[in-house]
Every structure is written in structure tokens, then in C-alpha cells.
Amino acid sequence: MLFDTHAHLNAEQFNEDLEEVIARAKEAGVTNMVVVGFDRPTITRAMELAESYEFIYACVGWHPVDAIDMTEEDLKWIEELAAHPKVVAIGEMGLDYHWDKSPKDIQKEVFRKQIRLAKKVKLPIVIHNREATQDIVEILKEEGAAEVGGIMHCFSGSAETAKECVNMNFYISLGGPVTFKNAKKPKEVAAEIPLGKLLIETDCPYLAPHPYRGKRNEPSYVKLVAEQIAEIKGLTYEEVAEATTQNAKKCFAIN
Ligand SMILES: [Zn+2]
């Protein structure tokens, strides 16, 4: 069993061959996945997929890069969707200082609004962080995000920051980068964070693991992430697959 906690099967890159991608995922042992929507079109598609496939769940929120586009109606819509039985988390939300489409103060405001919404609907949050670790940690603390907790998605920070997030009730999710030869930090995180606090993901179609780096990523490749973590921790692949699946089910309150 494998749980891909962050997949964008709602991306247009999967329009042509979604059924084959899903078949390969099942063959690789993927038993559950969460499809993440982060704007109007991708949320709509995530909901369609969650309603069509029993093993697919949805996470709905607004991406920080597009924070400037989010309206009050969008926020209200996300709140309504949160009541849907297949919606298991709010996000991805957070801060992205790599791109400057949305000014920092607007990103922060939209991030805070979504944390408050998640607390209201009692769902965990999925955090996107790019070059903004300090501000993310500060806002999570100020907003009392530990109350709902959630996931630091495709975590790329230090083991020290990862521990700080674990103390705030967050799971650390590792993706393709942990398999890259030169990825020192994700490997340290895999080594130092207890297995009970780790999740695995693809973030497909992005960030394909070695040896597919640079190609389109897909949920079946999450197996490579589990194998890498097992190697780093000196555990069996089965132990990592089982533990990360149970962690994800606990995080998303899935039976
Ligand atoms: Zn994502």
C-alpha cells in the first residue's frame, strides 16, 4: 500500500492518458491519493475526480502565486466544498516568494484567511512554501494552526525547521527531490524526522524522482520515494509504505 498525498491528476498533462496513469499507480501499489486543486479550474476538476474514483480524495484551496486573484466568493466556495465527504484538507496554501505575481502582503492575507477557514471547518491544511520558511512558520504560530495541523508539502527546508513544524502538529511530506543525489536537506529530513511524522507524495506532474527527473511525474513513482526513505532510515520498503499510509489516513481522517 502507498498513499500519494499530493497529486495534480487534475492538471492538463493527464488529459490524454489518465486511465493508464491510474492503472500504473494501482499496479505500483498506490491505494489512495489526494488530488489538490488550487484555483477555480483545478478545484472543479479535483472534485470531479474525487467523485468519480473511490480511492481519490480532494484538497481544495488557493495557491499563493495566484493570491491576488482570490475573491471573497472563491473563499466562500471553498468553505462550501469543505463539507463534501471527499474533501479531506484545505490547500494548497502558503507563501511563494519565488514568483512575484502576488505581492507578499496579499499572499500573507490570503494565507491567513485560509487558515481561519480551515479552523472553522475543522480540516487540516496543506502548506506550499517556496523561499518563505520564516514567514510561514511565523504565520502558522500566530494563527494557531496547530489546532488543525496538516502537511508541509514537498518539504525542502532543514531538519531543524521540519522539527519545528512537527511540534506544531504538522506532518512532513517528502517527494521526488529526496531521491536526487545532490538533495542534502531532504535526505537529512528523512533521516531525522521519525517515521510516524513522515508522508510521501509525488506533486505530479512536477518533480519526478530519479531516474525520471525532468520528465512528467505520476503517482506510480511515489514508490521510488518510499524506497529512498527506507534506504535512508535502514528500514524495509514495506515498513515505510505501511507507516506513511497509516500516517496519511490519520492526517486526513480516512478509515
Ligand atoms: Zn502542489
Side-chain angles (χ1 to χ4, degrees):
M1 50 165 61
L2 290 162
F3 197 133
D4 185 355
T5 61
H6 198 109
H8 297 284
L9 285 186
N10 45 355
E12 60 180 14
Q13 285 91 332
F14 295 109
N15 285 353
E16 300 283 301
D17 61 346
L18 182 68
E19 287 308 323
E20 285 119 88
V21 168
I22 286 176
R24 282 197 291 273
K26 288 192 146 181
E27 198 150 318
V30 178
T31 47
N32 302 87
M33 31 184 141
V34 169
V35 171
V36 181
F38 50 74
D39 61 13
R40 283 261 166 188
T42 58
I43 289 173
T44 302
R45 183 72 180 133
M47 295 305 298
E48 280 171 16
L49 292 171
E51 284 179 349
S52 307
Y53 299 91
E54 176 261 323
F55 51 89
I56 291 180
Y57 296 83
C59 171
V60 296
W62 210 266
H63 204 283
V65 170
D66 302 315
I68 196 163
D69 301 326
M70 196 191 80
T71 64
E72 285 305 313
E73 289 79 65
D74 292 326
L75 196 66
K76 218 170 156 252
W77 182 51
I78 291 167
E79 183 174 346
E80 285 161 16
L81 291 175
H84 190 287
K86 296 296 289 286
V87 171
V88 292
I90 303 295
E92 55 189 295
M93 64 173 82
L95 301 172
D96 191 318
Y97 293 168
H98 185 76
W99 306 105
D100 57 8
K101 178 185 167 186
S102 301
K104 286 184 184 178
D105 57 332
I106 292 179
Q107 289 194 35
K108 287 180 183 175
E109 198 46 44
V110 165
F111 183 24
R112 288 181 189 275
K113 280 181 180 171
Q114 292 185 84
I115 298 172
R116 289 170 200 163
L117 166 63
K119 288 170 77 173
K120 190 174 164 191
V121 300
K122 297 184 167 52
L123 283 177
I125 58 180
V126 173
I127 305 296
H128 171 103
N129 167 24
R130 194 156 180 202
E131 297 161 24
T133 306
Q134 209 66 24
D135 287 356
I136 295 243
V137 170
E138 195 179 297
I139 289 175
L140 290 175
K141 279 187 185 152
E142 283 175 8
E143 295 292 334
E147 187 183 311
V148 286
I151 301 173
M152 304 305 289
H153 132 68
C154 201
F155 190 80
S156 61
S158 66
E160 198 186 334
T161 307
K163 285 174 194 165
E164 203 176 349
C165 296
V166 166
N167 289 337
M168 284 192 291
N169 197 20
F170 280 80
Y171 287 88
I172 307 299
S173 185
L174 295 173
V178 77
T179 68
F180 301 165
K181 270 205 184 84
N182 56 356
K184 203 168 152 253
K185 279 198 212 162
K187 289 185 198 296
E188 281 172 10
V189 168
E192 291 191 34
I193 298 302
L195 186 58
K197 284 294 171 184
L198 286 180
L199 299 176
I200 54 175
E201 65 171 74
T202 54
D203 199 21
C204 65
Y206 318 105
L207 294 171
H210 176 78
Y212 303 108
R213 193 171 181 177
K215 302 220 169 71
R216 184 187 72 170
N217 198 359
E218 61 172 63
S220 64
Y221 298 168
V222 79
K223 187 172 186 180
L224 297 162
V225 176
E227 284 172 350
Q228 180 68 68
I229 294 172
E231 193 183 319
I232 291 169
K233 284 192 159 322
L235 299 169
T236 65
Y237 161 73
E238 287 76 16
E239 284 169 322
V240 172
E242 166 78 22
T244 52
T245 298
Q246 295 310 330
N247 295 344
K249 287 185 173 178
K250 194 172 161 200
C251 177
F252 295 124
I254 293 170
N255 295 318

